[in-house]
């Protein structure tokens, strides 16, 4: 018998990572478990299409307000971006836990 496929994001909250035009490039996912033996965050594998060090989470949703205000706030993670948007602050992006890179700037 063949092996069963494994869902790498099982038991995690998933965050779609989009490019500037809204196309989903990959996913970030946070575990809901408290098990310290597993990674808290897990991303889609790096590919020619998705490179974590080249994208900013929330840029697609924030780009209009960033241009309008000529200002952008950089926060650490997915839930930070969502929290700011929920409070009406829309010119916010995250580096998704990576160090800020030249490509992201």
């Amino acid at each position: 018998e063949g092996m069963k496929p494994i869902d790498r994001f099982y038991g995690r909250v998933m965050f779609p990572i989009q490019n500037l035009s809204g196309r989903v490039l990959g996913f970030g996912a946070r575990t809901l478990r408290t098990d310290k033996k597993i990674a808290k965050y897990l991303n889609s594998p790096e590919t020619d299409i998705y490179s974590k060090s080249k994208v900013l989470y929330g840029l697609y949703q924030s780009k209009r307000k960033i241009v309008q205000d000529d200002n952008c706030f950089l926060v650490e993670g997915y839930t930070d971006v969502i929290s700011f948007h929920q409070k009406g602050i829309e010119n916010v992006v995250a580096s998704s836990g990576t160090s800020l890179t030249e490509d992201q700037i």
Side-chain angles (χ1 to χ4, degrees), residues 43-91:
N43 295 305
S44 292
E46 296 272 322
T47 65
D48 290 342
I49 294 172
Y50 173 67
S51 175
K52 192 165 102 169
S53 64
K54 293 183 179 179
V55 297
L56 289 166
Y57 179 75
L59 187 57
Y60 172 68
Q61 291 83 358
S62 301
K63 63 183 179 181
R64 182 188 57 77
K65 190 67 172 166
I66 291 168
V67 170
Q68 182 181 327
D69 291 1
D70 193 26
N71 187 22
C72 179
F73 295 104
L74 176 69
V75 295
E76 185 181 6
Y78 315 118
T79 55
D80 300 321
V81 171
I82 293 167
S83 295
F84 273 79
H85 276 257
Q86 288 175 332
K87 298 292 183 186
I89 302 167
E90 298 176 4
N91 53 330

Side-chain angles (χ1 to χ4, degrees), residues 1-12:
E1 285 194 21
M3 293 177 55
K4 287 184 178 179
I6 297 171
D7 179 356
R8 74 183 283 127
F9 297 122
Y10 179 80
R12 293 175 179 269

Side-chain angles (χ1 to χ4, degrees), residues 5-17 24-33 38-47 50 52 78:
I6 297 171
D7 179 356
R8 74 183 283 127
F9 297 122
Y10 179 80
R12 293 175 179 269
V13 176
M14 294 181 61
F15 301 89
I17 313 288
V24 175
L25 304 175
F27 295 92
R30 187 190 191 288
T31 185
L32 297 174
R33 295 169 39 195
I38 60 170
K40 187 186 232 180
Y41 284 94
L42 185 64
N43 295 305
S44 292
E46 296 272 322
T47 65
Y50 173 67
K52 192 165 102 169
Y78 315 118

